[in-house]
């Protein structure tokens, strides 16, 4: 099996343009975020059980999202930030 360079959300090994694998890649984010329909979840997990490439892509994507959730914190901004920005825009426009 030949490994190829990928774009984000693309299966990492050459799947030969398999339409099932392409659909799985398009479902990765909504599956991991818990936003998929029951039909999509059923399709996704039944395919991932039989396709090693898609399973690996799912695992990597899930690990990345988990890492980001655990290590990236939201910054709290001052409550008057928006009004300050709008004020500067009005005076310079």
């Amino acid at each position: 099996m030949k490994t190829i360079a990928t774009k984000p959300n693309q299966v990492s090994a050459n799947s030969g343009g398999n339409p099932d694998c392409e659909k799985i890649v398009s479902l990765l984010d909504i599956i991991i975020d818990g936003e998929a329909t029951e039909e999509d979840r059923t399709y996704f997990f039944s395919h991932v059980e039989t396709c090693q490439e898609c399973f690996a892509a799912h695992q990597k994507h899930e690990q990345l999202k988990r890492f980001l959730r655990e290590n990236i914190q939201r910054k709290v901004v001052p409550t008057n930030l928006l009004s300050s920005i709008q004020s500067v825009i009005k005076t310079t426009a």
Side-chain angles (χ1 to χ4, degrees), residues 12 19-23 25-26 34 38-39 50 54 68 73 83:
S12 62
D20 290 333
C21 295
E22 291 173 15
K23 182 174 180 178
V25 169
S26 72
E38 188 59 36
E39 180 182 347
T50 61
C54 289
L68 292 174
Q73 297 178 355
S83 61

Side-chain angles (χ1 to χ4, degrees), residues 10-48:
Q10 188 176 16
V11 175
S12 62
N14 187 1
S15 61
N18 183 336
D20 290 333
C21 295
E22 291 173 15
K23 182 174 180 178
I24 294 304
V25 169
S26 72
L27 293 173
L28 273 173
D29 283 324
I30 63 171
I31 292 291
I32 292 170
D33 293 341
E35 300 170 353
T37 65
E38 188 59 36
E39 180 182 347
D40 284 340
R41 289 179 52 75
T42 301
Y43 179 84
F44 181 88
F45 287 108
S46 66
H47 177 83
V48 169

Side-chain angles (χ1 to χ4, degrees), residues 4-5 7 17 19 22 24 29 39-40 47-48 51-52 64-65 67 73 76 83 87 91:
I4 58 173
K7 296 177 184 173
E22 291 173 15
I24 294 304
D29 283 324
E39 180 182 347
D40 284 340
H47 177 83
V48 169
C51 181
Q52 185 177 7
L64 174 62
K65 285 210 168 200
F67 173 81
Q73 297 178 355
V76 178
S83 61
S87 176
T91 60

Side-chain angles (χ1 to χ4, degrees), residues 77-88:
V77 297
T79 54
N80 65 341
L81 179 62
L82 178 60
S83 61
S84 297
I85 293 170
Q86 289 173 333
S87 176
V88 169

